[in-house]
Structure formats: structure tokens, C-alpha cells
Amino acid sequence: MPSYSIGQAAGLLGVSPETVRRWADSGQLVMERDGSGSRVIDGASLAAFAKDRAAGPRPVPDEVLTSVRNSFAGIVTAVVVDDVVAQVEIQSGPHRVVSLVTREAVEELDIQVGTTVTARVKATDVHIDRQGVLPRP
């Protein structure tokens, strides 16, 4: 399961690192210490927190520079996998994006709750990108 630093979580939630620290100190957001003693947030916990916060108006995170006009960087909050297709739900700041992709794509990209992804929208299709190196099969 992925984990996120305070700065990474702040970027995904569209707030300052100090706001994330305050949420952790007040018990609203669960943080743990990693092996080096740094405070980290479990990806699934961050996804749940992002989804809960999305109910009301929120600040929009900084835009990513890209040639794609409709691009939503965010955190995966739900994945429902069927025999052929998968439904991927992403929380991007105040925006909830839902995409239907193939089961194979979800497995190849190792998309799971708490994973950072970017949804790119072209006409009626939503494509999901993920940074990083894929695990070998």
C-alpha cells in the first residue's frame, strides 16, 4: 500500500503542509512514523479522508502543466473490478472523477485505493496515467 509524506498529502488535498499537520495533530487525519521516523499517511486512509472532505467546497490544487486540456491529478478512492471492466473513482481536490477502464489496465498499472493517478479527459473518454515503475509480473 502506498504511503505519502505530509507535503505529498498536502498537494493531493489542495492545502498547505501545515494544514495537514494540524489535521493530524487534532486526530482528523491518521499519521504514523516510517522506519526513519518521518510522519507518513497510509494511502487508503488518505483516500478516505479526501473523499470525506469532498462533500463541501474546497480549494483547487495547483494545476499540472500539460498539453492535455482536461487533466485531473488525484488519489484513487475506490476500485470495483469485474470480469472485463473496472470502475476507478478518483478524488481530485473537490472533483470526483469516475472512469471505466479494462480490468487488464487496472492490473497492469497496479491501480488500487490510495494510488496517485492522473485522469485525462478527451471527448467522452477518461484515460488514467500513473507515474513510476511497474512491478514485474
Side-chain angles (χ1 to χ4, degrees), residues 28-108:
Q28 296 177 60
L29 185 59
V30 179
M31 280 199 211
E32 298 174 348
R33 300 260 180 203
D34 65 10
S36 65
S38 298
R39 293 172 79 176
V40 295
I41 305 161
D42 168 66
S45 297
L46 183 59
F49 184 81
K51 192 172 182 177
D52 289 344
R53 285 195 71 243
R58 301 289 179 249
V60 177
D62 292 336
E63 293 292 322
V64 175
L65 299 176
T66 179
S67 63
V68 176
R69 292 204 180 265
N70 301 304
S71 180
F72 299 90
I75 188 167
V76 175
T77 57
V79 179
V80 179
V81 180
D82 200 346
D83 290 338
V84 178
V85 298
Q87 178 178 311
V88 179
E89 183 177 313
I90 302 160
Q91 194 65 48
S92 176
H95 308 288
R96 177 178 169 260
V97 179
V98 178
S99 176
L100 294 178
V101 296
T102 64
R103 175 190 187 121
E104 182 179 6
V106 167
E107 291 171 352
E108 285 179 2

Side-chain angles (χ1 to χ4, degrees), residues 115-128:
T115 303
T116 303
V117 297
T118 301
R120 301 194 192 279
V121 180
K122 174 85 171 154
T124 60
D125 298 322
V126 177
H127 302 266
I128 298 175

